[in-house]
């Protein structure tokens, strides 16, 4: 009997040791997966859904990657700063603040588009603002994400075309499109850049109207771009990670353009607004068509090219967002998108 008890204890210990070794092995496999650290803007609306799916669904399904550790950040300039400080590896940020930082001596690179163009439109309180000249009135206040970023520049160019003196326009900063929407609704500000789906919601709540649609003002307009540091990108393993992140993004663009059901599933899963979770297929398809077909936010080839930056640089300069001294060919890296496209063929 004593021998039987000893044998049973030995067998039990064997299985415990085997289980521990198995768990250690599984832990090692998981630890081997690359976990990118990424900062993204404060909301996930219709335009953001493809890259949210890329981060949470497509990249982790690739060999050697886990789900990135991503953090929401309200101010676009803060995302750029997080890359500068090395607190994160990648940012879905603003091209303009990146170029401005490079002009100041920063070593940053733009490797691709998180989305092309923008879903932002300029929405105003129609009771207070009847025409563009009303924007110069001293009691009118506009709010943008950060002065000099793309939410600001999207206003400056079109307003200057219409003869508006920007020195007379009162512009404040307010991070996060959701925060700006609530401020407009509460009457704290009179005009803000919002995503078009937010603008649609506002139109049901009062006399709010769209005054500027960047898609109708610019042939190409940069929204959020993938930003990294030059130091980070110098390492071969990070170059590989850059290509795979871009591949995941392009795959998400293509699936969005070709598969309405997939986009609808991702929309409900990753949308940050409560009503996105319960949106009908028909409602989501309106968003997909508007962003994908009408505006062209998710090109199958990503549309990441130097020519887009060279066309927009004079616009940025005239708006006072950049000095225009930067050589964009040294900031905008296109070879990683080119490699991603080759591998996807």
């Amino acid at each position: 009997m004593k021998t039987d008890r000893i044998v049973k204890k030995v067998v039990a210990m064997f299985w415990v040791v085997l289980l521990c070794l198995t768990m250690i092995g599984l832990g090692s496999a998981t630890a081997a997966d690359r976990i990118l650290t990424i900062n993204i803007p404060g909301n996930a609306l219709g335009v953001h859904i493809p890259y949210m799916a890329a981060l949470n669904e497509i990249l982790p399904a690739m060999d050697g990657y886990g789900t990135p550790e991503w953090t929401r950040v309200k101010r676009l300039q803060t995302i750029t700063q997080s890359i500068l400080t090395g607190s994160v590896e990648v940012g879905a940020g603003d091209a303009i603040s990146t170029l401005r930082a490079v002009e100041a001596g920063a070593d940053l690179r733009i490797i691709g588009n998180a989305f092309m163009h923008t879903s932002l439109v300029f929405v105003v309180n129609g009771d207070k603002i009847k025409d563009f000249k009303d924007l110069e009135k001293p009691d009118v206040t506009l709010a943008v994400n950060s002065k000099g970023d793309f939410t600001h520049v999207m206003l400056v160019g079109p307003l200057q075309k219409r003869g508006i003196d920007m020195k007379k326009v009162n512009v404040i900063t307010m991070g996060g499109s959701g925060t700006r929407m609530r401020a407009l609704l509460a009457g704290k500000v009179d005009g803000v850049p919002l995503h078009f789906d937010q603008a649609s919601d506002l139109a049901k709540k009062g006399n709010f109207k769209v005054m500027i649609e960047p898609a109708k003002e610019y042939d190409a307009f940069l929204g959020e771009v993938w930003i990294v540091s030059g130091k980070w990108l110098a390492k071969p393993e990070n170059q590989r990670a850059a290509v795979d992140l871009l591949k995941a993004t392009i795959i998400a663009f293509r699936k969005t353009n070709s598969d309405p059901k997939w986009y609808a599933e991702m929309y409900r899963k990753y949308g940050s607004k409560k009503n996105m979770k319960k949106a009908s297929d028909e409602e989501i398809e309106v968003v997909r068509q508007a962003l994908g077909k009408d505006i062209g936010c998710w090109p199958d080839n990503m549309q990441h090219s130097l020519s887009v930056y060279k066309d927009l640089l004079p616009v940025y300069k005239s708006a006072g967002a950049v000095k225009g001294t930067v050589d964009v060919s040294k900031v905008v890296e296109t070879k990683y998108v080119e490699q991603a496209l080759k591998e996807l063929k």
Side-chain angles (χ1 to χ4, degrees):
M1 294 292 290
K2 187 175 181 181
T3 303
D4 288 345
R5 286 198 298 271
I6 292 172
V7 170
K8 286 179 181 179
K9 285 183 178 179
V10 170
V11 171
M13 288 176 65
F14 169 78
W15 284 112
V16 169
V17 171
L18 182 62
L19 179 60
C20 289
L21 289 172
T22 302
M23 292 178 71
I24 290 170
L26 287 172
S28 298
T30 303
D33 287 343
R34 181 72 186 269
I35 307 294
L36 292 173
T37 56
I38 301 177
N39 274 357
I40 61 175
N43 289 301
L45 300 174
V47 75
H48 306 105
I49 296 306
Y51 82 66
M52 290 301 296
L55 297 180
N56 293 287
E57 306 271 340
I58 300 171
L59 185 64
M62 293 180 177
D63 187 38
Y65 292 94
T67 304
E69 294 178 358
W70 50 266
T71 304
R72 294 197 182 282
V73 177
K74 280 190 175 183
R75 290 174 64 86
L76 293 171
Q77 286 183 341
T78 305
I79 294 176
T80 305
Q81 290 164 3
S82 70
I83 303 299
L84 280 172
T85 60
S87 59
V88 296
E89 297 176 274
V90 184
D94 171 44
I96 297 173
S97 60
T98 303
L99 294 173
R100 191 162 56 244
V102 171
E103 286 182 333
D107 182 21
L108 296 175
R109 302 287 188 276
I110 298 171
I111 59 171
N113 296 320
F115 58 83
M116 187 63 188
H117 299 289
T118 180
S119 69
L120 290 174
V121 292
F122 179 51
V123 184
V124 299
N125 180 341
D127 291 332
K128 195 168 182 180
I129 300 171
K130 307 295 183 182
D131 58 38
F132 285 99
K133 271 294 179 182
D134 289 336
L135 299 175
E136 294 181 349
K137 291 180 178 178
D139 64 337
V140 169
T141 301
L142 312 184
V144 300
N145 190 289
S146 301
K147 287 186 180 180
D149 72 6
F150 82 91
T151 68
H152 187 203
V153 171
M154 67 169 266
L155 305 183
V156 174
L159 292 181
Q160 286 179 335
K161 279 184 195 176
R162 291 165 174 83
I164 302 303
D165 183 353
M166 291 305 298
K167 293 179 181 177
K168 295 180 180 179
V169 179
N170 182 30
V171 179
I172 64 171
T173 61
M174 190 176 290
S177 59
T179 303
R180 292 193 299 274
M181 181 177 72
R182 290 188 291 273
L184 181 62
L185 188 60
K188 294 179 180 179
V189 295
D190 307 300
V192 296
L194 294 177
H195 292 280
F196 93 97
D197 32 0
Q198 292 171 314
S200 297
D201 289 344
L202 269 183
K204 302 170 187 174
K205 299 176 181 179
N207 185 19
F208 300 100
K209 62 182 182 179
V210 174
M211 287 193 83
I212 296 173
E213 298 177 69
K216 295 180 180 178
E217 303 284 343
Y218 301 95
D219 292 333
F221 194 81
L222 293 166
E224 291 165 28
V225 295
W226 291 122
I227 308 164
V228 299
S229 72
K231 182 180 178 181
W232 182 89
L233 198 56
K235 297 178 181 179
E237 64 270 25
N238 292 339
Q239 293 171 16
R240 182 65 253 174
V243 171
D244 289 333
L245 171 63
L246 295 168
K247 281 173 69 175
T249 307
I250 293 167
I251 290 169
F253 284 4
R254 293 176 177 182
K255 284 180 74 69
T256 294
N257 292 330
S258 64
D259 191 343
K261 288 185 178 179
W262 181 83
Y263 178 74
E265 180 186 350
M266 296 299 105
Y267 185 94
R268 296 187 188 101
K269 190 171 183 179
Y270 295 113
S272 60
K273 287 173 59 184
K274 288 182 180 179
N275 63 355
M276 293 174 74
K277 309 297 181 186
K278 298 179 180 180
S280 67
D281 286 348
E282 292 76 14
E283 289 171 326
I284 297 172
E285 182 59 10
V286 169
V287 174
R288 191 184 75 94
Q289 288 288 337
L291 295 174
K293 305 299 181 185
D294 300 342
I295 300 177
C297 293
W298 312 301
D300 281 352
N301 67 353
M302 193 172 270
Q303 203 178 340
H304 178 60
S305 68
L306 278 172
S307 62
V308 171
Y309 286 81
K310 288 177 179 178
D311 288 345
L312 286 173
L313 199 60
V315 176
Y316 296 163
K317 186 178 178 181
S318 68
V322 298
K323 296 176 183 176
T325 58
V326 68
D327 181 353
V328 292
S329 66
K330 293 181 180 178
V331 182
V332 181
E333 295 275 10
T334 60
K335 62 183 178 182
Y336 301 107
V337 168
E338 291 163 4
Q339 181 62 32
L341 291 169
K342 279 182 186 177
E343 294 180 14
L344 286 172
K345 284 183 178 178

